[in-house]
Amino acid sequence: MEKDLLIYIDGEYYPKSQAKVSVYDHGLLYGDGVFEGIRAYNSIVFKLKEHIDRLYRSARVIMLNIPLTKEEMINAVLATLRKNNLRDAYIRLVVTRGVGDLGLDPRKCPKPTVIIITDVIKLHSGEPKEKGIRAMIVWVKRDPVDATSHEVKSLNYLNSILGKIEANIAGFDEAICLDKNGHISEGVAENLFIVQNGKILTPPTSTGALVGITRDIVMKIAEKLGYKAIESTITPTDLFTAEEAFFTGTAAEIIPIVEVNKRMIGDGKPGSITRLLMQEFEKIVRDPKEGTSIY
Ligand code: PXG
């Protein structure tokens, strides 16, 4: 039987089956809130501080005052992992505007809801990583930076979900979203990179792409390996004709893209630079210096 994990809600722990929020919570009613997806590898929470910083940055943009200091939040995450005796985990941190009335006015929500879910990580089979995945550029445009931009990791994920639905019904593994100008932005929960003339390129956040933590690490690894890693506008043509392409994200880590809208990328196999980055990334996630120890 699956063990009943303990979930943190507003300073209390509840068994998963009883961990619930009010139907008047504006996180549910309006998607009014922010979140983070984090991973722990072998008792080390990878880049925990960076995720917490981003959570508080997202909250600042939507004028949500998180009722815990960053340090208290870090301790709450670690305590929840310890309570559940987890070493390898998927961590979902959610802060909503809290319980209000049926109007959307956030002033009616006196107290934000803080939720920390720590769960066992469901590992994808090795296939996508080894063989790469087939992606599709979808019609759903990434929200622009002046609205519910994915620059902010908010609870508004309908934009991504609609993109995912398109890829699902067309039988592709993943979706790629364009910005309003027709430039490549990102995947639905992953940043995107291409290799062009030996250089590693990723779209700027002005396309509405999230400032991904994995994106940042991959750029640093690339530089360390001697490659140029830069933010650059990427057109669909750039992508179709790239030597290599891959997604990055907390859940995805690094996943090679071998086909886009039925065009083979490179020779249709995960590229050599992609594989090199994957190897280095594997090492970094297990380096105690790159994260925060649970125990
Ligand atoms: N773009 C978007 C829109 C995302 O939501 C990323 C890029 C990658 O960012 P990080 O910082 O993770 O490298 C994300 C991340 C999930 C899940 O369960 C989604 C994310 C992270 C973790 C889990 O689908 N989104």
PDB file of all heavy atoms in Angstrom, residues 156-168:
ATOM      1  N   ASN A 156      -1.469  30.230 -12.874  1.00  0.00           N
ATOM      2  CA  ASN A 156      -2.144  30.321 -14.182  1.00  0.00           C
ATOM      3  C   ASN A 156      -1.406  29.461 -15.200  1.00  0.00           C
ATOM      4  O   ASN A 156      -0.495  29.941 -15.883  1.00  0.00           O
ATOM      5  CB  ASN A 156      -2.122  31.765 -14.695  1.00  0.00           C
ATOM      6  CG  ASN A 156      -3.150  32.618 -14.008  1.00  0.00           C
ATOM      7  OD1 ASN A 156      -4.268  32.743 -14.492  1.00  0.00           O
ATOM      8  ND2 ASN A 156      -2.792  33.199 -12.878  1.00  0.00           N
ATOM      9  N   TYR A 157      -1.774  28.209 -15.327  1.00  0.00           N
ATOM     10  CA  TYR A 157      -1.058  27.355 -16.279  1.00  0.00           C
ATOM     11  C   TYR A 157      -1.925  26.920 -17.452  1.00  0.00           C
ATOM     12  O   TYR A 157      -1.565  26.018 -18.198  1.00  0.00           O
ATOM     13  CB  TYR A 157      -0.423  26.152 -15.557  1.00  0.00           C
ATOM     14  CG  TYR A 157       1.065  26.418 -15.344  1.00  0.00           C
ATOM     15  CD1 TYR A 157       1.483  27.548 -14.665  1.00  0.00           C
ATOM     16  CD2 TYR A 157       2.041  25.588 -15.874  1.00  0.00           C
ATOM     17  CE1 TYR A 157       2.830  27.838 -14.503  1.00  0.00           C
ATOM     18  CE2 TYR A 157       3.387  25.864 -15.722  1.00  0.00           C
ATOM     19  CZ  TYR A 157       3.780  26.988 -15.038  1.00  0.00           C
ATOM     20  OH  TYR A 157       5.119  27.274 -14.887  1.00  0.00           O
ATOM     21  N   LEU A 158      -3.068  27.594 -17.621  1.00  0.00           N
ATOM     22  CA  LEU A 158      -3.955  27.204 -18.713  1.00  0.00           C
ATOM     23  C   LEU A 158      -3.256  27.344 -20.061  1.00  0.00           C
ATOM     24  O   LEU A 158      -3.455  26.524 -20.960  1.00  0.00           O
ATOM     25  CB  LEU A 158      -5.231  28.059 -18.668  1.00  0.00           C
ATOM     26  CG  LEU A 158      -6.437  27.470 -19.384  1.00  0.00           C
ATOM     27  CD1 LEU A 158      -6.692  26.025 -18.997  1.00  0.00           C
ATOM     28  CD2 LEU A 158      -7.671  28.309 -19.085  1.00  0.00           C
ATOM     29  N   ASN A 159      -2.442  28.363 -20.198  1.00  0.00           N
ATOM     30  CA  ASN A 159      -1.686  28.568 -21.431  1.00  0.00           C
ATOM     31  C   ASN A 159      -0.836  27.323 -21.757  1.00  0.00           C
ATOM     32  O   ASN A 159      -0.880  26.793 -22.869  1.00  0.00           O
ATOM     33  CB  ASN A 159      -0.815  29.819 -21.253  1.00  0.00           C
ATOM     34  CG  ASN A 159      -0.048  30.207 -22.502  1.00  0.00           C
ATOM     35  OD1 ASN A 159       1.174  30.261 -22.476  1.00  0.00           O
ATOM     36  ND2 ASN A 159      -0.726  30.499 -23.585  1.00  0.00           N
ATOM     37  N   SER A 160      -0.143  26.824 -20.756  1.00  0.00           N
ATOM     38  CA  SER A 160       0.669  25.619 -20.948  1.00  0.00           C
ATOM     39  C   SER A 160      -0.201  24.385 -21.176  1.00  0.00           C
ATOM     40  O   SER A 160       0.120  23.525 -22.002  1.00  0.00           O
ATOM     41  CB  SER A 160       1.551  25.382 -19.723  1.00  0.00           C
ATOM     42  OG  SER A 160       2.744  26.133 -19.801  1.00  0.00           O
ATOM     43  N   ILE A 161      -1.291  24.301 -20.437  1.00  0.00           N
ATOM     44  CA  ILE A 161      -2.153  23.119 -20.537  1.00  0.00           C
ATOM     45  C   ILE A 161      -2.778  23.028 -21.930  1.00  0.00           C
ATOM     46  O   ILE A 161      -2.834  21.954 -22.530  1.00  0.00           O
ATOM     47  CB  ILE A 161      -3.210  23.139 -19.415  1.00  0.00           C
ATOM     48  CG1 ILE A 161      -2.505  22.841 -18.083  1.00  0.00           C
ATOM     49  CG2 ILE A 161      -4.324  22.121 -19.670  1.00  0.00           C
ATOM     50  CD1 ILE A 161      -3.274  23.229 -16.858  1.00  0.00           C
ATOM     51  N   LEU A 162      -3.197  24.178 -22.480  1.00  0.00           N
ATOM     52  CA  LEU A 162      -3.761  24.170 -23.834  1.00  0.00           C
ATOM     53  C   LEU A 162      -2.704  23.736 -24.856  1.00  0.00           C
ATOM     54  O   LEU A 162      -3.012  23.000 -25.798  1.00  0.00           O
ATOM     55  CB  LEU A 162      -4.322  25.548 -24.196  1.00  0.00           C
ATOM     56  CG  LEU A 162      -5.604  25.932 -23.457  1.00  0.00           C
ATOM     57  CD1 LEU A 162      -6.037  27.341 -23.825  1.00  0.00           C
ATOM     58  CD2 LEU A 162      -6.722  24.940 -23.738  1.00  0.00           C
ATOM     59  N   GLY A 163      -1.481  24.160 -24.640  1.00  0.00           N
ATOM     60  CA  GLY A 163      -0.391  23.731 -25.515  1.00  0.00           C
ATOM     61  C   GLY A 163      -0.183  22.230 -25.431  1.00  0.00           C
ATOM     62  O   GLY A 163      -0.055  21.532 -26.440  1.00  0.00           O
ATOM     63  N   LYS A 164      -0.212  21.723 -24.208  1.00  0.00           N
ATOM     64  CA  LYS A 164      -0.014  20.288 -23.975  1.00  0.00           C
ATOM     65  C   LYS A 164      -1.135  19.470 -24.624  1.00  0.00           C
ATOM     66  O   LYS A 164      -0.885  18.429 -25.241  1.00  0.00           O
ATOM     67  CB  LYS A 164       0.035  20.042 -22.459  1.00  0.00           C
ATOM     68  CG  LYS A 164       0.294  18.630 -22.044  1.00  0.00           C
ATOM     69  CD  LYS A 164       1.750  18.247 -22.222  1.00  0.00           C
ATOM     70  CE  LYS A 164       1.996  16.822 -21.792  1.00  0.00           C
ATOM     71  NZ  LYS A 164       3.330  16.371 -22.191  1.00  0.00           N
ATOM     72  N   ILE A 165      -2.378  19.969 -24.500  1.00  0.00           N
ATOM     73  CA  ILE A 165      -3.522  19.259 -25.105  1.00  0.00           C
ATOM     74  C   ILE A 165      -3.321  19.125 -26.617  1.00  0.00           C
ATOM     75  O   ILE A 165      -3.548  18.062 -27.201  1.00  0.00           O
ATOM     76  CB  ILE A 165      -4.844  20.009 -24.790  1.00  0.00           C
ATOM     77  CG1 ILE A 165      -5.230  19.791 -23.320  1.00  0.00           C
ATOM     78  CG2 ILE A 165      -5.981  19.545 -25.726  1.00  0.00           C
ATOM     79  CD1 ILE A 165      -6.397  20.647 -22.837  1.00  0.00           C
ATOM     80  N   GLU A 166      -2.864  20.194 -27.247  1.00  0.00           N
ATOM     81  CA  GLU A 166      -2.642  20.149 -28.697  1.00  0.00           C
ATOM     82  C   GLU A 166      -1.629  19.076 -29.073  1.00  0.00           C
ATOM     83  O   GLU A 166      -1.841  18.321 -30.018  1.00  0.00           O
ATOM     84  CB  GLU A 166      -2.170  21.514 -29.210  1.00  0.00           C
ATOM     85  CG  GLU A 166      -3.275  22.536 -29.316  1.00  0.00           C
ATOM     86  CD  GLU A 166      -4.485  22.026 -30.079  1.00  0.00           C
ATOM     87  OE1 GLU A 166      -4.331  21.617 -31.248  1.00  0.00           O
ATOM     88  OE2 GLU A 166      -5.585  22.025 -29.500  1.00  0.00           O
ATOM     89  N   ALA A 167      -0.525  19.036 -28.303  1.00  0.00           N
ATOM     90  CA  ALA A 167       0.510  18.028 -28.591  1.00  0.00           C
ATOM     91  C   ALA A 167      -0.039  16.623 -28.329  1.00  0.00           C
ATOM     92  O   ALA A 167       0.180  15.703 -29.113  1.00  0.00           O
ATOM     93  CB  ALA A 167       1.749  18.291 -27.748  1.00  0.00           C
ATOM     94  N   ASN A 168      -0.802  16.489 -27.230  1.00  0.00           N
ATOM     95  CA  ASN A 168      -1.379  15.180 -26.881  1.00  0.00           C
ATOM     96  C   ASN A 168      -2.276  14.655 -27.998  1.00  0.00           C
ATOM     97  O   ASN A 168      -2.125  13.517 -28.439  1.00  0.00           O
ATOM     98  CB  ASN A 168      -2.241  15.282 -25.613  1.00  0.00           C
ATOM     99  CG  ASN A 168      -1.413  15.421 -24.357  1.00  0.00           C
ATOM    100  OD1 ASN A 168      -0.198  15.267 -24.369  1.00  0.00           O
ATOM    101  ND2 ASN A 168      -2.077  15.737 -23.249  1.00  0.00           N
TER     102      ASN A 168
END
